[in-house]
Amino acid sequence: MCRREICKIYSFINFTANILQFIVLYYYQFCLFIYLPHSTCTHHIYLHSVSLKFYQPNFKMEKGAKPWVFRGTQKFTTKQYSNDSKQMITIREAQEELMGNLNQDDERSFVHLGHGDPSAYPCFRTTPSAEDAIVSALRSAQFNCYPPATGILPARRAIAEYVSRDLPYKLSPDDVYVTAGGNQSIEIIITALARSGVNILLPRPGYPQYEARAAFSHLEVRHFDLIPEKGWEVDLDAVEALADENTVAIVIINPGNPCGNVAETARKLGMFVIADEVYSHIVFGNKPFIPMGEFGSIVPVLTIGSISKRWIVPGWRLGWIVTNDPCGLLKQTGILDSIRNYVNLSSDPATFIQGAIPEILGNTEEDFFSNIVRTIKEDADICCSKIKEIPCIVCPQQPEGAMSVMVKLNLSLLEGINDDMDFCVKLVKEESVIVLPGTTVGMKNWIRITFAIEPAILAEGLDRIKSFYQRHAKKL
């Protein structure tokens, strides 16, 4: 027998042996999965690594090496946030699931009424002066460097001056921390607060980023309700019932919640206020915007702000944390030290964006803001008018600020709709319209409609929701 034939036989034997090894290993692995709890399957990891070697010839393991032990952490789950809420999902998770249910055969363009980003629509384009400020900062070559952890001084000074316009006292640059948008501000504050045993109070409905960050930091959250029939006022009795000696802060979304009574209640309970004011000045009703920082002499306030909403540039990722604390309590209690320590570990917003902030905040004309608010008010009026034509959804309060409205589902008028998520999934499948299930903001069997889009597109989207209702209405 020649050498070539011997090599062929050897190769065939080796190949057959590998196949048998593969079958035996996976059969053994399958048995372990079926008959043993996953936590006791210590051999499973080793077998999986062996099977990986079989599938990937270039992925070699040294003989006698320890089995792979790395795994993804279970910490990064957003399914359960608190001890007083049922299973929840984030806004992004909900939007991804809904987008996955779009009917690809529907030739109509889909209408997105599920998130607060109107930047894609021509009527919501940002002011040219803001764009020019970005270009100028970039071309100056002065902002290609790493920024200080708290932000460059010109940006912090400009933010302090901008926020101070509405306050009875003046802020300094030292009161400002520049962040990569409002979400990073939430991350910084929640992480700085997290310590064993403490809790914070969050509004319902609210913004689920707070729950998510709290879960990652092992910080307990407790929810208080906003009362729809009273213009989404804070239920102060519920706040007092929820708070205990370990409650350190309360989150307020402003505009939207009355400020003065909350400040007095927070002071009474010994906690400070986190004021989420990314929608500051976007008001179009009878109530003016009143910053929570106005009550800083009553109770310490950490204000979260950004240029994302007012300037319609969420993709620029520029926000801030401002300390409204003329009495210095946040410094005395170590909160500011914790914030600075975390800021030193976190990433920074782009330096050239920071470099444009003095021009953006200082020189944007009022006409731009007025036009944006006028368009949003027009949208809000269209939304409320159209909702009245859809019996299965009820708007308890005409919106007077921000870019969205909460409406309650009347499931008793619908056939084959189980809950808010089911409503939203079937709506996107049948009408290519996305609205946000209320479950994502803590309100089961409600939906949130974002109305800040082109008015004609908004009207079309709401007409499709009406058609959806008519198709699923219970027959009397």
Side-chain angles (χ1 to χ4, degrees):
M1 186 178 294
C2 67
R3 179 175 295 181
R4 180 176 297 178
E5 291 174 330
I6 293 173
C7 290
K8 284 183 179 180
I9 294 172
Y10 178 81
S11 297
F12 175 77
I13 293 172
N14 187 52
F15 174 78
T16 304
N18 282 335
I19 290 294
L20 290 173
Q21 181 189 40
F22 168 81
I23 293 170
V24 170
L25 287 172
Y26 266 81
Y27 177 75
Y28 182 34
Q29 189 175 8
F30 172 78
C31 291
L32 286 173
F33 255 98
I34 295 298
Y35 296 109
L36 292 178
H38 286 189
S39 60
T40 64
C41 291
T42 55
H43 285 51
H44 167 65
I45 301 174
Y46 175 73
L47 290 173
H48 188 61
S49 68
V50 173
S51 62
L52 279 176
K53 184 173 70 172
F54 179 83
Y55 266 106
Q56 303 176 26
N58 294 326
F59 188 76
K60 296 182 179 179
M61 179 184 292
E62 295 292 336
K63 187 175 181 180
K66 292 182 178 180
W68 305 116
V69 295
F70 46 81
R71 296 180 183 177
T73 176
Q74 296 301 308
K75 179 180 178 181
F76 293 98
T77 175
T78 54
K79 295 303 181 186
Q80 290 186 332
Y81 295 144
S82 67
N83 64 349
D84 67 338
S85 65
K86 296 181 180 179
Q87 190 178 64
M88 297 173 66
I89 58 175
T90 65
I91 291 176
R92 284 184 175 177
E93 284 177 317
Q95 289 179 351
E96 287 174 3
E97 181 170 343
L98 293 173
M99 289 292 290
N101 282 281
L102 274 172
N103 182 0
Q104 301 302 322
D105 296 327
D106 191 340
E107 296 181 353
R108 299 173 297 179
S109 59
F110 88 91
V111 180
H112 205 323
L113 305 178
H115 68 157
D117 181 6
S119 61
Y121 303 100
C123 66
F124 285 104
R125 180 166 179 172
T126 193
T127 173
S129 64
E131 296 171 344
D132 293 341
I134 294 290
V135 173
S136 177
L138 188 59
R139 287 180 172 171
S140 72
Q142 297 178 26
F143 305 106
N144 296 331
C145 57
Y146 291 119
T150 56
I152 64 174
L153 180 58
R156 290 188 289 120
R157 183 184 293 117
I159 293 168
E161 292 173 356
Y162 170 74
V163 177
S164 294
R165 295 176 196 172
D166 302 314
L167 299 177
Y169 51 88
K170 293 295 181 183
L171 299 168
S172 78
D174 292 337
D175 296 317
V176 177
Y177 304 84
V178 186
T179 65
N183 279 351
Q184 192 191 30
S185 298
I186 295 171
E187 174 190 338
I188 291 168
I189 293 173
I190 295 299
T191 307
L193 288 179
R195 56 187 175 86
S196 179
V198 303
N199 64 79
I200 61 170
L201 306 184
L202 302 181
R204 183 170 47 207
Y207 183 45
Q209 192 71 11
Y210 288 96
E211 283 94 339
R213 282 296 163 191
F216 295 162
S217 299
H218 301 288
L219 176 64
E220 180 189 349
V221 303
R222 300 176 180 181
H223 291 95
F224 60 90
D225 289 323
L226 306 179
I227 306 171
E229 297 77 16
K230 296 183 178 181
W232 300 103
E233 283 186 6
V234 175
D235 186 343
L236 294 176
D237 291 336
V239 168
E240 293 200 32
L242 285 170
D244 60 21
E245 67 277 6
N246 295 316
T247 306
V248 295
I250 181 173
V251 172
I252 296 297
I253 311 296
N254 186 33
N257 310 140
C259 299
N261 292 339
V262 173
E264 294 288 355
T265 300
R267 178 173 182 170
K268 173 183 174 182
L269 298 173
M271 57 188 175
F272 74 91
V273 175
I274 301 168
D276 190 322
E277 296 182 354
V278 297
Y279 284 99
S280 65
H281 297 283
I282 302 180
V283 291
F284 40 83
N286 297 321
K287 301 174 184 176
F289 170 70
I290 301 174
M292 195 71 207
E294 185 171 314
F295 306 97
S297 59
I298 298 175
V299 64
V301 177
L302 286 180
T303 297
I304 295 173
S306 79
I307 62 173
S308 297
K309 307 300 183 182
R310 198 178 187 199
W311 276 265
I312 320 294
V313 287
W316 291 8
R317 311 312 301 141
L318 196 290
W320 54 79
I321 300 170
V322 168
T323 60
N324 303 275
D325 185 26
C327 299
L329 293 174
L330 295 175
K331 183 176 182 180
Q332 294 173 25
T333 54
I335 296 295
L336 296 189
D337 286 338
S338 295
I339 289 175
R340 289 193 189 96
N341 290 340
Y342 188 75
V343 164
N344 282 323
L345 297 175
S346 63
S347 57
D348 312 307
T351 311
F352 74 90
I353 302 288
Q354 295 188 46
I357 283 297
E359 181 73 18
I360 293 173
L361 297 185
N363 297 321
T364 299
E365 296 182 357
E366 282 299 320
D367 284 349
F368 166 73
F369 297 129
S370 298
N371 290 335
I372 290 295
V373 170
R374 189 180 305 114
T375 303
I376 294 175
K377 183 181 185 306
E378 178 186 350
D379 281 337
D381 291 341
I382 292 172
C383 187
C384 291
S385 176
K386 291 285 187 180
I387 285 173
K388 291 176 182 177
E389 301 174 6
I390 310 171
C392 69
I393 55 178
V394 178
C395 178
Q397 180 73 23
Q398 176 94 7
E400 296 184 339
M403 298 179 178
S404 61
V405 61
M406 294 294 300
V407 296
K408 188 171 185 178
L409 278 175
N410 187 346
L411 295 175
S412 67
L413 299 179
L414 296 169
E415 192 78 49
I417 303 295
N418 298 320
D419 54 26
D420 55 320
M421 192 66 188
D422 191 36
F423 178 94
C424 294
V425 169
K426 289 175 179 173
L427 176 65
V428 72
K429 283 181 179 179
E430 298 178 25
E431 296 291 347
S432 295
V433 175
I434 290 180
V435 295
L436 192 70
T439 303
T440 60
V441 294
M443 299 284 283
K444 186 174 177 59
N445 293 333
W446 289 64
I447 59 174
R448 193 187 78 175
I449 299 175
T450 298
F451 48 75
I453 65 173
E454 289 281 354
I457 299 175
L458 172 65
E460 180 185 347
L462 291 164
D463 284 341
R464 293 190 203 174
I465 296 177
K466 180 180 179 180
S467 298
F468 178 82
Y469 159 72
Q470 292 171 339
R471 191 180 309 115
H472 289 273
K474 279 188 177 178
K475 305 299 186 290
L476 299 177

